[in-house]
Amino acid sequence: MKALHEQDHYSVLELRPGASLDEIDRAYRAMRDTYDAESLALYSVFSDRDAATIRERIEDAYRVLSDPEGRRVYDDVRAGRESLAAPRAASPTSEMESAEIGAFESASDSFRDLESDIDEEAGEFDGPKLRRARLRRGFELDQISDITKVSVANLARIEDEEFADLPATVYVRGFVTAYSRTIGLDPTRVVASYLARVEQARQVQPHGRFRSRS
């Protein structure tokens, strides 16, 4: 079995790639119950930290696969990775044909990159848009957490726009800056847009609910 950080979202939930939404829901509930903090099955098997990491991966997998748009983007990225990893059979293609195919694929890739960049540069940067940008670039939340040292829980709250559960704005600024820089977005544009949403939401929410930095 692959290590947890090497498993894709389907493997984490023990699902086949073509699973229905009902199957995803059932698998999520089963895995959530299995790795619940109070589960006797975890006693002496996993440390509290390891169990918490597994629960975060389960939540992240469900968050993506239960969202049709997020799942579509994730499946596209996953299919691309598998295509690059698959061995290519030798073919009698001529050098000229190979050059033409290579030029076409390069142009297609450039167009897709440009299309994604235009989409990401336009309008506000909200949580779902950041998630789609992350998935397009093939990042998992735990990978970003390893790089930025921001907890997976806070990264997920940023994507889910759970503003009341995020720490003070000064910390959110740092989190969003690190997140956007890691996935290749312009931090200045992302932070200004995202923090405007945070401040607007917090004007109507009691400040006592905000979490500490940790």
Side-chain angles (χ1 to χ4, degrees):
M1 177 181 292
K2 291 183 178 179
L4 182 65
H5 70 277
E6 296 176 336
Q7 295 181 32
D8 64 17
H9 289 332
Y10 292 102
S11 297
V12 168
L13 295 182
E14 298 182 359
L15 288 167
R16 57 184 177 80
S20 68
L21 287 177
D22 285 343
E23 289 173 323
I24 291 170
D25 286 338
R26 286 197 297 271
Y28 164 68
R29 288 195 295 270
M31 296 296 288
R32 182 190 60 191
D33 292 343
T34 298
Y35 291 96
D36 184 86
E38 303 300 322
S39 173
L40 293 177
L42 293 183
Y43 184 71
S44 77
V45 177
F46 297 102
S47 68
D48 290 344
R49 183 173 182 178
D50 288 342
T53 298
I54 293 171
R55 287 194 293 272
E56 288 175 350
R57 288 288 282 115
I58 291 170
E59 293 296 332
D60 188 36
Y62 179 69
R63 187 179 299 108
V64 172
L65 298 184
S66 63
D67 171 31
E69 175 61 17
R71 183 181 182 181
R72 183 189 65 77
V73 174
Y74 180 77
D75 284 345
D76 287 346
V77 172
R78 182 173 173 276
R81 284 176 172 173
E82 291 182 349
S83 176
L84 289 174
R88 296 177 180 270
S91 67
T93 306
S94 68
E95 290 185 5
M96 180 175 294
E97 288 174 329
S98 297
E100 290 174 348
I101 293 171
F104 175 78
E105 290 178 343
S106 177
S108 298
D109 290 342
S110 298
F111 178 78
R112 282 194 294 269
D113 291 342
L114 177 60
E115 187 176 46
S116 296
D117 291 342
I118 290 173
D119 176 60
E120 289 167 2
E121 290 295 326
E124 293 184 341
F125 283 94
D126 57 13
K129 192 169 189 177
L130 290 176
R131 180 184 294 120
R132 288 194 295 272
R134 169 175 67 83
L135 293 173
R136 283 195 186 101
R137 287 157 170 77
F139 283 96
E140 303 288 357
L141 285 182
D142 56 343
Q143 292 176 305
I144 297 178
S145 180
D146 289 342
I147 294 169
T148 64
K149 308 309 177 186
V150 179
S151 71
V152 171
N154 275 324
L155 294 172
R157 291 178 189 125
I158 288 170
E159 291 187 347
D160 292 338
E161 298 197 337
E162 295 176 350
F163 302 129
D165 292 328
L166 284 166
T169 303
V170 63
Y171 296 122
V172 178
R173 178 185 296 275
F175 294 169
V176 176
T177 297
Y179 175 111
S180 55
R181 182 178 290 122
T182 300
I183 66 174
L185 295 176
D186 178 4
T188 303
R189 293 176 60 89
V190 175
V191 170
S193 178
Y194 191 87
L195 287 188
R197 297 178 63 79
V198 174
E199 292 302 320
Q200 182 179 13
R202 288 184 170 179
Q203 286 175 5
V204 296
Q205 291 175 336
H207 289 265
R209 292 183 59 198
F210 300 158
R211 291 178 177 264
S212 65
R213 180 182 179 184
S214 60

